[in-house]
């Protein structure tokens, strides 16, 4: 009754789409901001540790389930674990709704900055400007516009929509970011920016808050914990080397995050704006959206071009990530409800767009959705996923296939013991942080 399942066209299609999912708003500003706030080098070290220890094992687990079952998350989990485990797939879909709802609002800011910056330049009074564009019915309109683009690409299908967009956009994105980093390097004062970025307060390695942020960031940035990588892998054919794909994706994701910092910090220091990224009243989410435009506006003639290029890169990174978030929900509706892909994309896209409206009207709600959906749910989802693949799936090592049996023994050990322990602890701390946000919002 259903059309046969689509597949990536082979070659780099899957890899670029998965890198496109991983590289997003998370790399371009969340990473630099967190590094700046959490002791620079200490955060980066913990981030790498978290990526190796829990990120890569969970990514491989998602790949294995997805490719093995060749279904969307709920069905894939049911395939290996029976209906008792299906609620985990439901959590994934709920997380997809929550993240894409607010992610699209932030992406809408980026698109608006790109369009208006290229057309009119960046306003000098960036703080007041951000206040105007970050909340309200205008913000809703840009959010809806961004969702419409995402729906359009995803309804085109795996190969003609998602893969084609990734093949077109990802190399351009890489070139833009590297070009911007080279430009930033030529600015006077860039050195102070690098020094700040890589300054290291190693005592913070022992800080649980820093570890929690590093774990949350690793999961968010690698698109883990809600079945995104599972869904993308469900369109994969047998011959791919899954551990190698996982490694390639993690390295690209980390590389782009580091290079984005090499754009941001020299820029801020060269223009004397460095003090404004920390502890500003705009908080985590707004900081770079205020300070960077300020930098672009004080750059003179180059401002609209450099700023425009940065905001275009940010928008491109956001759209290839948003596609992957939507795909989880769309694949679920196509497999589970038997809907056509365009119908699934339009209906779920509209529902998610609706859910995002409160976030577009109130930045406090946006921050809460990020804390709960973008961190807590991912960590909890990753915890159960690790237990599921570690203990419930009969022979995950055989499912991975290939020749790397020895390393895969370690993988299973990590999934059984290390990943769940770390994620349980991190979920607890993240739960506390989310509760605090709720109290703040209510009080
Ligand atoms: N990884 C993307 C970023 O860094 C966002 C993203 C896409 C995501 N798909 C995801 C995050 C799935 C968590 C789960 O911006």
């Amino acid at each position: 009754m259903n059309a046969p399942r689509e597949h990536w066209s082979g070659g780099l299609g899957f890899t670029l789409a998965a890198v496109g999912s991983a590289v997003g708003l998370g790399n371009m500003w969340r990473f630099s901001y967190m590094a700046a706030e959490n002791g620079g080098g200490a955060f980066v070290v913990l981030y790498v540790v978290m990526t190796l220890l829990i990120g890569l094992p969970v990514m491989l687990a998602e790949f294995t389930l997805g490719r093995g079952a060749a279904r969307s998350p709920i069905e894939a989990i049911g395939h290996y674990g029976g209906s008792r485990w299906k609620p985990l797939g439901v959590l994934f879909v709920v997380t997809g709704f929550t993240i894409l709802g607010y992610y699209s609002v932030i992406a809408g800011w980026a698109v608006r900055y790109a369009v208006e910056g290229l057309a009119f330049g960046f306003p000098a009074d960036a703080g007041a400007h951000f206040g105007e564009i970050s909340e309200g019915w205008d913000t809703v309109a840009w959010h809806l516009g961004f969702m419409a683009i995402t729906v359009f690409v995803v309804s085109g299908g795996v190969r003609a929509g998602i893969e084609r967009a990734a093949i077109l956009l990802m190399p351009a994105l890489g070139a833009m970011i590297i070009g911007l980093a080279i430009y930033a390097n030529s600015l006077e004062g860039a050195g102070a920016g690098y020094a700040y970025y890589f300054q290291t307060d190693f005592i913070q390695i022992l800080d649980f808050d820093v570890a929690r942020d590093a774990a949350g960031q690793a999961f968010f940035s690698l698109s883990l914990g809600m079945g995104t990588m599972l869904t993308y892998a469900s369109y994969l054919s047998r011959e791919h080397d899954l551990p190698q794909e996982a490694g390639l994706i993690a390295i690209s994701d980390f590389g782009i995050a580091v290079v984005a910092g090499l754009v941001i910090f020299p820029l801020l220091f060269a223009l004397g704006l460095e003090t404004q990224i920390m502890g500003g009243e705009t908080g985590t989410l707004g900081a770079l959206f205020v300070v960077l435009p300020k930098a672009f506006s004080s750059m003179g003639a180059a401002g609209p071009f450099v700023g425009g290029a940065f905001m275009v890169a940010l928008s491109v990174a956001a759209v290839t990530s948003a596609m992957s978030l939507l795909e989880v929900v769309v694949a679920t509706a196509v497999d589970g409800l038997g809907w056509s892909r365009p119908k699934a994309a339009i209906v779920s896209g509209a529902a998610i767009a609706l859910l995002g409206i409160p976030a577009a009207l109130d930045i406090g709600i946006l921050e809460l959705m990020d804390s709960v959906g973008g961190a807590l749910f991912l960590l909890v989802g990753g915890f159960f996923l690790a237990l599921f693949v570690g203990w419930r799936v009969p022979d995950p090592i055989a499912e991975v296939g290939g020749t790397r049996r020895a390393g895969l023994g370690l993988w299973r050990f990590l999934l059984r013991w290390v990943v769940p322990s770390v994620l349980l602890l991190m979920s607890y701390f993240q739960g506390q942080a989310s509760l605090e946000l709720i109290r703040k919002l209510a009080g």
Side-chain angles (χ1 to χ4, degrees), residues 21-22 24-27 99 103 220-221 223 226 228 321 324-325 378:
S21 168
L25 298 169
N27 304 60
I99 295 182
Y103 197 85
F220 186 86
S221 192
S223 303
M226 58 152 279
T228 302
S321 297
S324 73
L325 287 159
L378 296 178

Side-chain angles (χ1 to χ4, degrees), residues 33-92:
Y33 184 85
M34 287 203 162
E37 188 143 81
N38 287 319
F43 177 80
V44 176
V45 169
L46 277 171
Y47 180 82
V48 171
V49 170
M50 289 296 182
T51 297
L52 295 176
L53 208 64
I54 61 174
L56 282 177
V58 170
M59 190 183 293
L60 189 53
E62 290 206 21
F63 282 171
T64 307
L65 283 182
R67 187 183 63 178
R71 315 227 180 119
S72 55
I74 298 178
E75 307 284 318
I77 289 169
H79 172 76
Y80 282 107
S83 51
R84 259 187 54 214
W85 279 89
K86 278 190 175 179
L88 178 57
V90 176
L91 172 67
F92 288 171

Side-chain angles (χ1 to χ4, degrees), residues 209 212-213 364 367-369 371-372 376 427-443:
D209 287 349
R212 176 203 69 208
D213 278 354
E367 264 171 330
L368 180 62
M369 285 167 81
S371 175
V372 175
L376 180 61
S427 301
Y428 173 75
F429 286 115
Q430 185 56 47
Q432 302 287 86
S434 297
L435 270 180
E436 207 167 294
L437 258 186
I438 293 177
R439 271 192 221 110
K440 219 173 71 191
L441 216 67

Side-chain angles (χ1 to χ4, degrees), residues 179-406:
L180 282 165
I182 293 171
Y183 169 80
N185 179 259
S186 74
L187 295 172
E188 205 165 318
Y194 298 136
Y196 176 75
Y197 189 22
F198 294 115
Q199 127 270 72
T200 299
D201 185 358
F202 271 109
I203 198 73
Q204 297 204 28
I205 284 196
L206 303 173
D207 185 333
F208 270 126
D209 287 349
V210 181
R212 176 203 69 208
D213 278 354
Q217 175 63 15
F219 260 54
F220 186 86
S221 192
L222 293 169
S223 303
L224 298 176
M226 58 152 279
T228 302
M229 291 300 178
L230 187 164
T231 306
Y232 271 14
S234 75
Y235 306 115
L236 210 47
S237 55
R238 273 278 148 193
E239 58 273 14
H240 280 259
D241 181 344
L242 297 180
Q244 185 186 316
E245 294 283 356
L248 208 61
I249 292 159
I251 288 170
S252 315
D253 184 61
F254 181 64
I256 300 236
V258 170
V259 177
L262 295 179
V263 177
I264 291 166
F265 289 106
L267 216 61
L268 298 185
F269 275 76
L271 294 157
L273 295 168
E274 66 275 8
T275 52
Q276 303 191 16
I277 35 169
M278 315 285 279
E281 71 287 14
T282 44
T284 327
L285 283 162
L288 281 174
F289 278 98
V290 174
V291 186
L292 275 181
K294 209 175 272 184
F296 301 139
S297 91
S298 53
M299 268 167 74
F305 298 102
V306 176
F310 185 87
M311 291 300 171
V312 168
L314 195 59
S315 308
V316 164
V319 81
T320 54
S321 297
M323 283 155 27
S324 73
L325 287 159
L326 183 59
E327 181 59 27
V328 171
V329 183
V330 168
T332 301
V334 169
D335 285 356
L337 306 174
W339 288 4
S340 76
R341 170 170 282 274
K343 177 179 172 190
I346 291 169
V347 173
S348 52
I352 292 167
L354 222 55
L355 184 74
I357 289 180
L361 294 175
D362 182 345
I363 202 169
I365 293 178
L366 190 155
E367 264 171 330
L368 180 62
M369 285 167 81
D370 180 45
S371 175
V372 175
L376 180 61
F377 284 178
L378 296 178
L379 296 171
V380 172
F383 168 76
F384 284 108
L385 192 83
L387 290 179
F388 181 65
V389 176
W391 296 99
R392 183 71 180 83
V393 172
D395 190 356
I397 294 178
E399 300 281 342
V400 175
T403 48
R404 271 170 247 245
R405 300 261 157 171

